[in-house]
Amino acid sequence: MSALSVKDLNQLLTILDAENVANQSVEALASQLGVFNKQEYFKVGNALVMLLQNADLLPSPSQRLAAVLLLHELFKPDAQNFHPFSSIFVQLLADEPLQTKRPDSYRLLPKLSPPEKIYLSHLITNPQKEMYKKTLRQILNFDSTNSMADISALQISVTERLSEYTLASKSRIPAVLSMPDVRPGFDPILPDSSAIKKTAEALITGPNAAIQESVGPEFVRLAPPLFCPDELVWIDPIGEVDHMIAYDTTVCIPRGAGSEARRLISQAFTGSLTLLQQNRLLSELERDSRLVYHVGITPNKLPALVENNPLIAIEVLLRLMQSSQITEYLSVLVNMEMSLHSMEVVNRLTTAVELPTEFVHLYISNCISTCETIKDRYMQNRLVRLVCVFLQSLIRNKIINVQELFIEVQAFCIGFSRIREAAALFRLLKQLDSGDQSGLNSTSSIASFPGLSSLSTSSFNPQASPLASTAKGKGE
């Protein structure tokens, strides 16, 4: 809404009061804008334009100049900011009237005197502190031989901005026009302050303010003809005709590259994909190496992908290893809730690429901490077995240096020594600590699961996982 409130309009008219404004400096005049909220500045600017368009509302030259200067100070133009009322200044500084050039809402602006034009052009192009010390009376009476500053840059900028508007929007004119002086030789009767205030309120304030109204071209379109009576059957059905609606099922279906991959990835966040869907998605990712960056996989969505489709998560992470954001993805993977699928993903990554040592150590510490803090005895036993098999896989595949985690893993094994897998892991640690490497080639029941990387790539069904089988076989 562009209308100004009655309170703000009264403050604006007080600032423009003819008795006080002539002897004020430009600096003092600009400081009075502080009474308005900055969010209302555009409304104040529209009100100033409306006052300038109606000459009888600003009867004295000092009021007119004050309105122009206030409009400039509302939005000081700079290299980054475009003054929203720049077209006003271009027209005020024009050498000839612009009525014949652009029939828009600003064509009724007053004509400035040469001293005003000189001062305003320099204020726009190269403002100096000394210029703000001058009073309005000094500006109006200043007799200078200086020429106007070059405003061609401002004119080009305004022209470029106006070129973006449609012809219809540039063809609108204000709904209220000032009555021209058709009596040459007669001095017009100037209204008093109360009449100015009443007229300004009618034009600028309220829901039906004229400042919001404009008149533009109306586009009239002919009604389509009725070719034959039979076509009216849709309006007044006759008999028992059963009309079937034919839908175009291809409407709104994206056809761009990667649309199928994006759809499958979106589905993979919420549920498990079938084997056919997994193969289709992997083939799409294989076809375009950059597609993985454009299918909507963000670090925050990675846990859902890991839990629902760990195979897809592995392939995605392997393709993201060269990304600058891989640290964020690994950080999310480390800190997510420990589960069979997260361990599957981590183990496959460790055997496929060289992960940062601190990442692997942090994940192991997170697994141990989860096992120690869980309250459910059944789930605790199950997770301990999984972690033990997982650690043995890392040790046997020489993914980690057990000496760096010896104390933490040994304490974990001692704490859960009642569990067979923890006791077997403890024996392996003791063998390695004594320099015996034979444990790495052990063919015991635990060693028969040399690593999670040997899992089937067809699906990551927990019931088909060696870890799950191990846990079940141990009396879960």
Side-chain angles (χ1 to χ4, degrees):
M1 183 176 178
S2 301
L4 201 63
S5 66
V6 176
K7 177 184 175 182
D8 287 342
L9 177 61
N10 290 334
Q11 291 177 330
L12 181 60
L13 293 177
T14 301
I15 296 174
L16 296 173
D17 184 74
E19 298 180 359
N20 303 321
V21 73
N23 296 318
Q24 288 188 12
S25 65
V26 178
E27 184 178 23
L29 180 68
S31 65
Q32 297 184 61
L33 289 174
V35 299
F36 302 107
N37 192 326
K38 286 192 175 182
Q39 284 73 20
E40 304 294 319
Y41 272 13
F42 188 75
K43 295 181 181 180
V44 175
N46 281 332
L48 288 170
V49 172
M50 176 66 78
L51 293 174
L52 287 170
Q53 289 174 338
N54 296 272
D56 54 344
L57 299 182
L58 296 175
S60 70
S62 57
Q63 287 180 293
R64 178 190 64 201
L65 178 59
V68 173
L69 295 176
L70 286 175
L71 187 63
H72 175 270
E73 294 302 312
L74 280 173
F75 304 93
K76 289 186 178 181
D78 53 43
Q80 291 79 28
N81 246 345
F82 181 81
H83 201 298
F85 297 98
S86 293
S87 58
I88 296 291
F89 303 122
V90 170
Q91 295 179 66
L92 288 172
L93 296 173
D95 295 331
E96 58 183 29
L98 300 181
Q99 287 91 330
T100 59
K101 293 185 178 180
R102 289 178 52 228
D104 61 6
S105 59
Y106 298 140
R107 65 177 181 172
L108 304 175
L109 294 172
K111 185 177 181 181
L112 299 184
S113 63
E116 290 176 292
K117 288 186 176 182
I118 293 173
Y119 180 84
L120 182 59
S121 65
H122 286 279
L123 184 65
I124 292 174
T125 58
N126 187 26
Q128 303 292 333
K129 288 186 177 181
E130 294 76 11
M131 301 179 67
Y132 286 91
K133 304 297 182 182
K134 292 182 179 296
T135 64
L136 271 63
R137 192 182 303 278
Q138 290 175 333
I139 296 173
L140 290 170
N141 299 326
F142 183 64
D143 184 13
S144 174
T145 57
N146 294 335
S147 59
M148 284 182 52
D150 183 12
I151 62 167
S152 58
L154 179 63
Q155 292 173 329
I156 294 174
S157 179
V158 169
T159 303
E160 291 177 349
R161 292 298 178 108
L162 292 177
S163 66
E164 300 174 1
Y165 300 147
T166 63
L167 291 175
S169 63
K170 291 190 288 185
S171 300
R172 304 189 71 84
I173 62 174
V176 178
L177 303 178
S178 297
M179 183 175 180
D181 187 6
V182 295
R183 300 173 300 167
F186 291 87
D187 294 332
I189 300 176
L190 299 179
D192 57 19
S193 58
S194 61
I196 291 176
K197 179 180 178 182
K198 183 177 180 181
T199 305
E201 287 183 0
L203 292 175
I204 299 174
T205 65
N208 299 318
I211 194 173
Q212 304 176 115
E213 303 297 332
S214 61
V215 179
E218 182 179 356
F219 295 95
V220 180
R221 299 183 179 182
L222 296 176
L226 298 176
F227 293 100
C228 62
D230 293 341
E231 293 186 356
L232 296 177
V233 69
W234 291 101
I235 300 177
D236 187 15
I238 300 174
E240 298 181 356
V241 180
D242 187 12
H243 298 283
M244 300 298 294
I245 298 177
Y247 289 99
D248 185 359
T249 58
T250 63
V251 172
C252 299
I253 296 179
R255 299 294 183 183
S259 59
E260 178 69 6
R262 283 189 288 271
R263 183 186 69 81
L264 291 174
I265 281 292
S266 178
Q267 186 177 342
F269 291 138
T270 58
S272 300
L273 299 180
T274 65
L275 179 58
L276 181 62
Q277 290 174 324
Q278 289 184 37
N279 293 335
R280 190 185 310 162
L281 177 56
L282 292 177
S283 64
E284 289 282 337
L285 296 177
E286 186 70 27
R287 187 178 299 114
D288 184 1
S289 60
R290 303 294 301 175
L291 185 59
V292 71
Y293 299 102
H294 307 288
V295 291
I297 302 173
T298 63
N300 292 336
K301 295 180 179 180
L302 182 61
L305 185 63
V306 169
E307 289 302 324
N308 291 298
N309 295 277
L311 172 63
I312 303 300
I314 291 170
E315 296 297 331
V316 165
L317 288 172
L318 289 176
R319 285 169 169 78
L320 289 172
M321 279 299 165
Q322 304 304 320
S323 170
S324 58
Q325 293 183 314
I326 186 59
T327 303
E328 298 181 32
Y329 289 95
L330 294 180
S331 178
V332 169
L333 183 60
V334 166
N335 293 288
M336 69 176 288
E337 184 178 354
M338 190 198 82
S339 66
L340 170 63
H341 284 170
S342 68
M343 283 192 287
E344 304 280 7
V345 172
V346 172
N347 190 77
R348 283 288 298 274
L349 289 178
T350 57
T351 56
V353 294
E354 185 176 352
L355 295 179
T357 304
E358 59 272 15
F359 161 74
V360 181
H361 289 182
L362 183 59
Y363 184 74
I364 293 173
S365 298
N366 183 36
C367 291
I368 293 175
S369 176
T370 301
C371 292
E372 292 174 345
T373 56
I374 193 170
K375 301 298 182 182
D376 189 319
R377 185 66 174 266
Y378 169 79
M379 287 302 300
Q380 185 183 57
N381 292 344
R382 181 173 184 270
L383 290 179
V384 169
R385 293 188 178 99
L386 292 175
V387 172
C388 289
V389 175
F390 172 65
L391 290 175
Q392 289 195 54
S393 172
L394 296 180
I395 294 172
R396 296 181 191 282
N397 289 305
K398 300 181 180 180
I399 303 299
I400 61 173
N401 184 357
V402 70
Q403 298 300 326
E404 297 178 358
L405 296 169
F406 186 83
I407 296 178
E408 185 177 8
V409 176
Q410 179 178 253
F412 169 74
C413 295
I414 295 174
F416 296 99
S417 58
R418 69 181 185 277
I419 299 175
R420 177 180 173 182
E421 288 79 7
L425 177 60
F426 182 77
R427 289 194 297 272
L428 177 61
L429 291 177
K430 286 300 183 182
Q431 290 178 5
L432 296 176
D433 187 47
S434 63
D436 183 3
Q437 300 295 318
S438 60
L440 296 179
N441 302 317
S442 174
T443 57
S444 65
S445 60
I446 297 299
S448 63
F449 305 104
L452 307 181
S453 59
S454 61
L455 290 176
S456 170
T457 57
S458 61
S459 66
F460 276 78
N461 184 352
Q463 302 301 325
S465 169
L467 284 182
S469 301
T470 301
K472 289 181 119 184
K474 302 306 177 184
E476 280 194 351

